């Protein structure tokens, strides 16, 4: 079956540090890949997505590249801010089945301090 | 305007009660979902409806019954609530089922606490 593996959290960084949150996946066919963010007390928001190999999704300074050869979709940001503190979820959607659904990783909590 | 809205946002109820969470989307999407997020933040799909028809039904106790009166609504009814049902329930929607370009949009979540 499909699965998504994310690095264990929490990740604690100082403001302006470089961020990487690793995400690897197992899926049949050619899934679409997503990063969702959940700020404290709020729902899930789509952060970025990539629908085919070598695509780069980017938003709000975050980016992730769909790497089929390594089955990875690592999230990166060059300089984090305190306001980026949240839980980040990597997810995939298998586009080969009869019904579309997202399979999520376990989430990685990011804490950014001054 | 909220694209996917769910009510109530917070719900505290006693074991054994029956409760419903309502969801509405104004995006014109034809597919809606319910996801459950447990205390460890793990998210898992429960149900999905496409054009009011059930297309995904994961292993969920039959105390949980989704109802889709029309494409824009997908309500979740839970009978005989148990402590383990305490979680955040997210409604979501998307346009289409098989398109690789579509995005799933989530509501803000409903925090259910069973005491």
């Amino acid at each position: 079956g499909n699965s998504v593996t994310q690095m264990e959290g929490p990740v604690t960084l100082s403001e302006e540090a470089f961020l990487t949150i690793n995400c690897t996946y197992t899926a049949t066919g050619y899934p679409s890949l997503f990063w969702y963010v959940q700020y404290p007390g709020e729902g899930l928001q789509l952060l970025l997505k990539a629908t085919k190999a070598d695509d780069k999704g980017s938003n709000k300074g975050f980016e992730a590249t769909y790497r089929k050869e390594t089955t990875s979709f690592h999230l990166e940001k060059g300089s984090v801010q305190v306001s980026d503190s949240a839980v980040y979820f990597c997810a995939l959607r298998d586009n080969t089945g009869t019904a579309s659904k997202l399979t999520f990783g376990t989430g990685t909590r990011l804490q950014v301090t001054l | 305007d909220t694209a996917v809205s769910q009510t109530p946002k917070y719900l505290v109820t006693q074991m054994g009660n029956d409760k419903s969470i309502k969801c509405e989307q104004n995006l014109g999407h034809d597919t809606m979902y319910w996801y459950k997020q447990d205390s460890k933040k793990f998210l898992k799909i429960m149900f999905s409806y496409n054009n009011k028809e059930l297309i995904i039904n994961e292993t969920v106790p039959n105390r949980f019954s989704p109802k889709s009166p029309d494409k824009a609504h997908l309500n979740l009814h839970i009978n005989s609530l148990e402590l383990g049902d305490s979680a955040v329930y997210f409604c979501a929607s998307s346009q289409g089922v098989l398109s690789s370009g579509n995005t799933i949009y989530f509501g803000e979540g409903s925090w259910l606490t069973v005491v």
Side-chain angles (χ1 to χ4, degrees), chain A residues 7-22 62 75-86 88 108-114:
Chain A
M7 62 190 290
E8 290 278 337
V11 173
T12 303
L13 295 173
S14 299
E15 204 170 42
E16 299 184 0
F18 184 86
L19 168 71
T20 300
I21 299 178
N22 290 338
F62 291 90
L75 182 69
E76 296 182 336
K77 186 175 185 182
S79 175
V80 294
Q81 306 299 312
V82 172
S83 57
D84 293 327
S85 298
Y88 292 82
T108 302
R109 181 178 299 278
L110 170 65
Q111 183 68 43
V112 181
T113 59
L114 290 171

Side-chain angles (χ1 to χ4, degrees), chain B residues 6-26:
Chain B
Q6 43 185 120
T7 56
K9 184 165 184 176
Y10 299 102
L11 179 59
V12 181
T13 188
Q14 290 188 325
M15 282 175 55
N17 284 349
D18 303 338
K19 291 294 178 185
S20 293
I21 305 172
K22 296 184 177 181
C23 179
E24 176 182 6
Q25 53 94 5
N26 63 6

Side-chain angles (χ1 to χ4, degrees), chain B residues 95-113:
Chain B
Q95 179 56 35
V97 174
L98 294 179
S99 170
S100 63
N102 62 358
T103 297
I104 296 178
Y105 294 90
F106 285 82
E108 294 187 342
S110 294
W111 272 253
L112 172 64
T113 302

